[in-house]
Amino acid sequence: MSRPIDSGLADAAIAACGDASARALLDDWLSERDARCALFLDVDGTLLDIVETPDAVRVPDDLRAALQSLHRQLDGALALVSGRPLAQLDDLFAPLRLPASGGHGAQWRLAGGQPLQQLPAAHLSAPQRDQLLALARRHPGVLAEDKGSSLALHYRAAPEAGPALEAALERLLRGPEGAGLRLLPGKMVFEVLAHASDKAQAIRRFLGEPPFAGRRPLFIGDDHTDEPALALMPQLHGLGLSVGRLAPGARAAFDHPRAVRETLIQATRRTQA
């Protein structure tokens, strides 16, 4: 497992250099008005700080305004690419409704006014859901988050449960009841998905349709769940930036979601000046 880039004095110096590079790359990219670019953004851990529970996060007003401005500047080619369901994203960023992909690619909407689309049969069965919820109950402090197409088990409040939880999930997925499921580890969370899509496939889907088609993509993410999308960027002559660590496929890393927010907000303020 990768070590956070801000651990230790030596790592802090590397992080500061990496953060400056990431800020400069994003700022340069946003300044290329004639480059026909598309911006794809993870949410938790990238735009927003990770907090104790998923429903405790809040979107700052200046970030919401910056995203609205960038969406307009890019002629609509800005999308949120998240593990959250689209309904949660809409609630978080309301009244702003952006193009978005939720559930790690299981759901998507190409424009704010369009209806939600989703992969067929991307839902956990009732017996699968019941087994996962029972597993969460056996580990005090583990929070179960039912997303429909997946179920996430957060163990941030009980980090000592992580190894046992992972072993139990792997046993479950090896059995007949685990058919069609896959395990996706993240930051203090294990997520069981009922589909094979990921954020890279979500971005490819966007890039096949207007207003994203024909544009050079940039993706910013932080977690292991974002690595397929980051690895895709060089293949598409795009740019990948990560947060908290230099992830595979990323050119540079921001040290904290705050740095991503500040860069986006400052860039839009310059264009409005």
Side-chain angles (χ1 to χ4, degrees), residues 225-247:
T225 59
D226 299 312
E227 289 180 3
L230 288 167
L232 177 65
M233 292 300 101
Q235 301 175 34
L236 301 179
H237 306 289
L239 175 63
L241 300 172
S242 56
V243 183
R245 64 189 178 100
L246 187 61

Side-chain angles (χ1 to χ4, degrees), residues 147-214:
K147 302 182 181 181
S149 62
S150 67
L151 197 145
L153 300 178
H154 300 268
Y155 59 97
R156 185 171 301 278
E160 69 283 354
L165 192 61
E166 183 176 20
L169 287 168
E170 289 177 344
R171 286 195 300 272
L172 176 65
L173 267 62
R174 285 196 298 267
E177 63 274 22
L181 303 181
R182 66 187 179 102
L183 182 62
L184 192 63
K187 289 181 176 177
M188 307 301 286
V189 62
F190 294 112
E191 191 161 354
V192 177
L193 285 76
H195 61 86
S197 189
D198 59 27
K199 293 184 180 181
Q201 295 179 46
I203 288 174
R204 284 190 181 276
R205 189 183 295 123
F206 278 116
L207 291 172
E209 301 287 344
F212 300 90

Side-chain angles (χ1 to χ4, degrees), residues 51-68:
V51 295
E52 287 301 315
T53 61
D55 58 357
V57 299
R58 296 292 181 268
V59 178
D61 289 341
D62 50 0
L63 173 63
R64 188 181 288 106
L67 293 175
Q68 184 174 30

Side-chain angles (χ1 to χ4, degrees), residues 44-238:
D44 294 275
T46 297
L47 287 178
L48 305 176
D49 299 342
I50 292 178
V51 295
E52 287 301 315
T53 61
D55 58 357
V57 299
R58 296 292 181 268
V59 178
D61 289 341
D62 50 0
L63 173 63
R64 188 181 288 106
L67 293 175
Q68 184 174 30
S69 177
L70 283 168
H71 178 254
R72 185 169 54 250
Q73 291 174 31
L74 294 170
D75 299 319
L78 181 153
L80 304 176
V81 183
S82 174
R84 289 179 180 264
L86 254 66
Q88 283 190 18
L89 293 176
D90 287 343
D91 287 344
L92 266 179
F93 289 89
L96 185 60
R97 285 174 62 91
L98 294 168
S101 175
H104 303 285
Q107 305 173 327
W108 65 94
R109 180 180 62 219
L110 293 174
Q114 291 188 3
L116 176 150
Q117 301 181 66
Q118 61 184 28
L119 297 174
H123 293 280
L124 294 167
S125 69
Q128 289 170 336
R129 182 174 288 104
D130 289 343
Q131 289 193 56
L132 292 168
L133 292 174
L135 176 59
R137 288 193 294 269
R138 291 200 294 271
H139 295 274
V142 171
L143 172 67
E145 181 189 9
D146 190 349
K147 302 182 181 181
S149 62
S150 67
L151 197 145
L153 300 178
H154 300 268
Y155 59 97
R156 185 171 301 278
E160 69 283 354
L165 192 61
E166 183 176 20
L169 287 168
E170 289 177 344
R171 286 195 300 272
L172 176 65
L173 267 62
R174 285 196 298 267
E177 63 274 22
L181 303 181
R182 66 187 179 102
L183 182 62
L184 192 63
K187 289 181 176 177
M188 307 301 286
V189 62
F190 294 112
E191 191 161 354
V192 177
L193 285 76
H195 61 86
S197 189
D198 59 27
K199 293 184 180 181
Q201 295 179 46
I203 288 174
R204 284 190 181 276
R205 189 183 295 123
F206 278 116
L207 291 172
E209 301 287 344
F212 300 90
R215 292 175 177 261
R216 182 170 62 90
L218 183 149
F219 175 70
I220 310 177
D222 72 300
D223 208 347
H224 298 291
T225 59
D226 299 312
E227 289 180 3
L230 288 167
L232 177 65
M233 292 300 101
Q235 301 175 34
L236 301 179
H237 306 289

